[in-house]
Amino acid sequence: MCIIELEGLHFYAYHGYYESERIIGNEFVVNVSVETDCTLAGQTDQLEDALNYQQVYDIVKKEMGIKSNLLEHVAQRILNSLWKSFPGLESIAVKVTKLNPPMGGEVEKASVTLRQRK
């Protein structure tokens, strides 16, 4: 097994509990970590034998484009889409971070991380 990570995927999106967040938007960072069998890809050096990172990115981008009230909901949708698209995965972790959340004080970021195993 190997772990493949996509880190620092930046998006401008419209997630938040407050209506103003869903109108104005904010900056978000997503990290994805998946555990899969990389044996064949390591032997053949062929993309068709590997997890295609571009497809993972495209899934995250699509889900980030759907407005949600909660980061938990965004992360769960990403997890569900990854499981559906890559049923051979052993585990998935998704971290969704909102930069400078409106909390009435100086807060650099708020994050939610969801992890699931098969």
Side-chain angles (χ1 to χ4, degrees):
M1 286 296 142
C2 72
I3 295 172
I4 297 172
E5 297 175 309
L6 286 129
E7 300 177 282
L9 287 70
H10 287 257
F11 300 95
Y12 197 88
Y14 301 88
H15 310 303
Y17 176 77
Y18 300 105
E19 184 179 359
S20 61
E21 294 178 280
R22 293 187 306 275
I23 294 171
I24 297 167
N26 202 342
E27 292 186 46
F28 294 82
V29 178
V30 178
N31 294 320
V32 177
S33 177
V34 299
E35 184 179 0
T36 189
D37 186 348
C38 295
T39 306
L40 187 57
Q43 294 170 351
T44 67
D45 196 27
Q46 298 299 311
L47 182 58
E48 60 268 12
D49 297 328
L51 178 76
N52 187 324
Y53 310 157
Q54 183 64 55
Q55 291 175 342
V56 173
Y57 176 84
D58 292 343
I59 289 167
V60 174
K61 181 178 179 180
K62 178 184 174 204
E63 296 301 336
M64 288 299 293
I66 301 169
K67 290 183 184 183
S68 291
N69 293 332
L70 302 175
L71 297 180
E72 294 88 340
H73 188 251
V74 178
Q76 187 64 58
R77 281 200 331 268
I78 293 169
L79 275 170
N80 293 346
S81 293
L82 290 171
W83 283 123
K84 183 177 178 182
S85 297
F86 304 104
L89 296 177
E90 292 296 319
S91 69
I92 303 171
V94 176
K95 180 177 181 180
V96 179
T97 301
K98 179 187 289 189
L99 303 180
N100 303 307
M103 300 182 74
E106 189 173 326
V107 179
E108 184 179 323
K109 55 189 171 184
S111 300
V112 169
T113 301
L114 297 181
R115 291 186 180 96
Q116 291 181 351
R117 292 197 68 77
K118 222 177 209 183

